[in-house]
Amino acid sequence: MSATPTDRFPDRPDQRPSATAATRPLLLRLLDAPVRWRALDTVAAPVRDLVRAAEPRWLADLLHGTWLGHPLHPVLAQVVVGSWTSAAAVDALSLAGLVPDDLADGADATSAALAAAGIATTLPTVASGLTDWAELHPDQQRIGLVHAASNYAALTVFAASLVQRWRGRTTSARWLSVAGVSTATLGAALGGHLSYRWSAGASHAEHVPHVAPEGWHRVAAYDELVVDEPVQGHVGDVPVVVVRTADGVSVLADSCSHLAGPLSGGKVTREGGEACLVCPWHGSAFRLADGSVAAGPAVAPQPVLASRVDVDGGVLARVVPVP
Ligand code: FES
């Protein structure tokens, strides 16, 4: 793989939250704080390397959600957090004395079942999150580590709550349940921040059909294209990748949907007999025919532009409106 963003731009203060830290709300500063904790890299690097080495591609793609066309981790996390939140809500009502005595046992049994359901769903949720995390860049990975630590803490607290309930110590079990969901909420906030502020899991190519100018644009000279060697062209200011194969010419957005790697620096391969373009950063493969994902970590397809060769031998491309 070629250099990833942080390899190429080892220190870009303008890209870090420090530039406006003093003026941002306290909550955002807290959520961004792990980005500065470079000591976390000593943990992140070996864990990342271990995950990458240990998982076969089919398993990694399964856990990324490549087959689903959507990251799998937030779908599973919804089950965990939803179960724990429901359990804690029942326990909070019990602690507040709002559950009638004749329903108290049923409420405790319900809370225990919900807490157990959340714990049981933790394993695939952690596996999918870890798989996604291993392909992020270091800034994102630091936030991801704190996100994971918060959720491990919540898991521990909910497990302790179950033990206390099993031992008949109902009141402490309820308090632990409420404490557990508070910890899980911190983890969820960091996970949401990682997705929305730091764009982990979001498509980095979705904008292309919206910002590229309409109409046909010359992106390359057909005779200068070498078969199976991608080159970069532009539609207006928007970079695209032009690929000539034995079957014709394809033009896709150059910014990889996973983390914006330059597909024009990638290589052409065949996946299941179909021509694919492989990203140089983390190895996602996109089918040239329609931009669909043949291999992750990407889950979102790559925008494909309409293309044709004009009478002067120029390769023309035009953005296709989002259906
Ligand atoms: S940027 Fe990660 S696979 Fe392309």
Side-chain angles (χ1 to χ4, degrees), residues 9-10 32 57 60 64 71 74 87 162 248 265 288:
F9 307 107
D32 277 336
R57 197 176 96 173
H64 283 307
L162 273 186
L288 287 172

Side-chain angles (χ1 to χ4, degrees), residues 213-230:
E214 296 180 350
W216 290 98
H217 296 260
R218 183 183 171 105
V219 292
Y222 184 79
D223 286 343
E224 294 175 5
L225 295 174
V226 177
V227 171
D228 288 352
E229 285 193 14

Side-chain angles (χ1 to χ4, degrees), residues 3-145:
T4 57
T6 302
D7 297 329
R8 298 193 307 142
F9 307 107
D11 191 11
R12 294 173 53 177
D14 57 311
Q15 295 295 306
R16 300 180 186 282
S18 57
T20 56
T23 60
R24 289 181 307 115
L26 176 62
L27 176 62
L28 285 181
R29 278 185 273 161
L30 290 174
L31 292 173
D32 277 336
V35 172
R36 300 171 181 281
W37 300 345
R38 290 175 175 267
L40 292 174
D41 294 352
T42 57
V43 178
V47 176
R48 178 196 61 213
D49 294 345
L50 183 66
V51 173
R52 286 180 177 173
E55 284 184 334
R57 197 176 96 173
W58 67 266
L59 179 59
D61 282 359
L62 178 73
L63 293 169
H64 283 307
T66 302
W67 55 278
L68 187 61
H70 187 286
L72 183 61
H73 179 66
V75 178
L76 296 171
Q78 187 79 357
V79 179
V80 176
V81 176
S83 300
W84 287 349
T85 302
S86 303
V90 173
D91 284 325
L93 290 173
S94 298
L95 287 168
L98 297 176
V99 176
D101 288 345
D102 57 334
L103 297 179
D105 288 347
D108 280 318
T110 301
S111 177
L114 287 166
I119 291 171
T121 319
T122 297
L123 183 60
T125 307
V126 169
S128 63
L130 198 57
T131 305
D132 289 347
W133 172 88
E135 303 296 352
L136 298 178
H137 60 66
D139 287 346
Q140 296 167 327
Q141 286 184 336
R142 290 180 207 122
I143 296 178
L145 276 181

Side-chain angles (χ1 to χ4, degrees), residues 216-220 249 251 305-311 314-318:
W216 290 98
H217 296 260
R218 183 183 171 105
V219 292
V249 177
V251 181
L305 287 79
S307 60
R308 63 182 172 87
V309 180
D310 70 6
V311 292
V315 177
L316 305 182
R318 174 176 64 85

Side-chain angles (χ1 to χ4, degrees), residues 208 211-219 233-240 242 251-252 305-306 316-319:
V208 169
V211 299
E214 296 180 350
W216 290 98
H217 296 260
R218 183 183 171 105
V219 292
H234 288 85
V235 172
D237 291 333
V238 179
V240 296
V242 186
V251 181
L252 286 73
L305 287 79
L316 305 182
R318 174 176 64 85
V319 293

Side-chain angles (χ1 to χ4, degrees), residues 256 258-261 279 281-284 297:
C256 175
H258 176 234
L259 278 181
C279 179
W281 279 3
H282 309 105
S284 291

